[in-house]
Amino acid sequence: MRARTATHGDVEKVFNNLANRMLKEYAAAGMDAKSVYDNLVMNLKEGRAHALVEGDRTMAIIAWHEDSDAAETLFAAQDDFFTAATLRFCKRHIRQIQQLAGNIPIRSRDWLGRPDVARWFRIIGYVERERRDDWTLFELPPEKCM
């Protein structure tokens, strides 16, 4: 697996076969697939979106938006993206995104409270920062400079 700058075509490919779990996550966040699609396209136009590719197949898109003290992520994937191999890749890749964002914390939310999602975040290096009735905020602390 590799990452590269996302294109509009990459977003279309992912959304043509979007994982059902992503649709449920968006609905729990109060968003629909169209608004997520539009947000991803806006981020890619601003140079803040990567396509996650296996061979010649785009399997997922990750985008980020820097705020004053952290970068928030937005994610879309196809069903077969969710494997142990992609988890290992994501563990390295999210650190690359963090460096592109200026080594600030990366924040991601889980809107469904799925144990497997929380486990993925912990394996990648995120820590739980806040829990509400409808979401959990995970944060990847900045890498320590040597």
Side-chain angles (χ1 to χ4, degrees), residues 64-122:
W64 63 97
H65 183 80
E66 296 96 348
D67 237 345
S68 59
D69 63 340
E72 298 272 342
T73 62
L74 183 58
F75 184 71
Q78 298 177 343
D79 272 321
D80 54 354
F81 174 80
F82 301 99
T83 68
T86 57
L87 176 61
R88 287 188 295 274
F89 172 80
C90 288
K91 186 174 183 174
R92 291 184 311 273
H93 185 250
I94 195 69
R95 289 295 185 181
Q96 293 170 345
I97 290 172
Q98 190 170 49
Q99 292 308 308
L100 290 171
N103 198 31
I104 58 178
I106 302 287
R107 293 188 181 140
S108 302
R109 282 181 172 69
D110 173 19
W111 292 88
L112 294 175
R114 292 175 52 140
D116 59 330
V117 172
R119 182 175 170 269
W120 270 51
F121 279 131
R122 283 192 303 276

Side-chain angles (χ1 to χ4, degrees), residues 15-75:
F15 274 78
N16 282 340
N17 194 20
L18 190 63
N20 192 43
R21 67 195 291 172
M22 300 302 315
L23 293 170
K24 290 177 182 176
E25 188 85 15
Y26 302 153
M31 301 172 77
D32 61 12
K34 170 84 170 95
S35 62
V36 173
Y37 180 98
D38 291 344
N39 283 331
L40 286 168
V41 169
M42 178 64 70
N43 282 301
L44 79 86
K45 286 180 180 180
E46 295 174 354
R48 296 186 315 261
H50 285 167
L52 307 182
V53 180
E54 182 67 48
D56 62 350
R57 189 165 155 253
T58 303
M59 298 177 70
I61 305 288
I62 185 166
W64 63 97
H65 183 80
E66 296 96 348
D67 237 345
S68 59
D69 63 340
E72 298 272 342
T73 62
L74 183 58
F75 184 71

Side-chain angles (χ1 to χ4, degrees), residues 99 103 142-146:
Q99 292 308 308
N103 198 31
E143 285 194 303
K144 295 179 181 171
C145 297
M146 297 281 182

